Amino acid sequence: QVQLVESGGGLVQAGGSLRLSCTGSGRSFYRDAMGWFRQAPGKGREFVAAIPWTGYTGYYADSVKGRFAISRDNSESTTLQMSDLKPEDTAVYYCASAIGLKYTREYSDLTRYDYWGQGTQVTVSS
């Protein structure tokens, strides 16, 4: 059974930091891109950050650039370090993996992702 499991969510004050982790199991994720998406109440799921299987760079939504950093810990896991959090960052955060991404625009397209975690809640209080 293929699974992605997120951890590290919680409640934090504005300006604070949180670190989200995601670990895959059930198959090899060596060649997968890994991404983070989020969904706030009443809104659609949106792209946050992604990293290719090589781990050589990261892609970010404009709203989180300079505050969030994605890294590839090993072939099966990824971390999203979130700093200077704002109330508008409040959402359920999902980890996802994708096979065969070739173009930059694909990394932010949630329809290109094959496996998804169950999500972890991040709440930022003002």
Side-chain angles (χ1 to χ4, degrees):
Q1 181 181 1
V2 179
Q3 281 189 316
L4 290 171
V5 178
E6 305 96 337
S7 62
L11 173 64
V12 65
Q13 287 189 328
S17 299
L18 278 176
R19 180 184 172 100
L20 303 184
S21 297
C22 171
T23 300
S25 63
R27 63 180 281 276
S28 173
F29 291 86
Y30 176 69
R31 290 283 185 175
D32 288 37
M34 304 288 280
W36 289 92
F37 292 77
R38 67 187 181 186
Q39 188 164 15
K43 296 187 177 181
R45 194 168 297 190
E46 65 174 8
F47 170 72
V48 176
I51 189 166
W53 70 272
T54 58
Y56 77 94
T57 190
Y59 301 104
Y60 299 93
D62 288 343
S63 59
V64 306
K65 277 181 184 176
R67 300 188 297 120
F68 290 12
I70 189 171
S71 61
R72 196 76 184 245
D73 307 316
N74 54 52
S75 60
E76 314 304 324
S77 64
T78 182
T79 295
L80 185 69
Q81 179 66 48
M82 306 186 294
S83 303
D84 189 22
L85 283 160
K86 304 176 180 182
E88 51 264 42
D89 294 318
T90 295
V92 177
Y93 283 70
Y94 297 90
C95 173
S97 69
I99 303 168
L101 300 188
K102 295 182 179 179
Y103 305 105
T104 301
R105 64 177 182 270
E106 294 182 289
Y107 286 86
S108 60
D109 182 356
L110 62 86
T111 67
R112 292 290 285 111
Y113 286 77
D114 306 290
Y115 298 99
W116 291 84
Q118 292 299 306
T120 185
Q121 177 70 46
V122 171
T123 303
V124 184
S125 63
S126 57

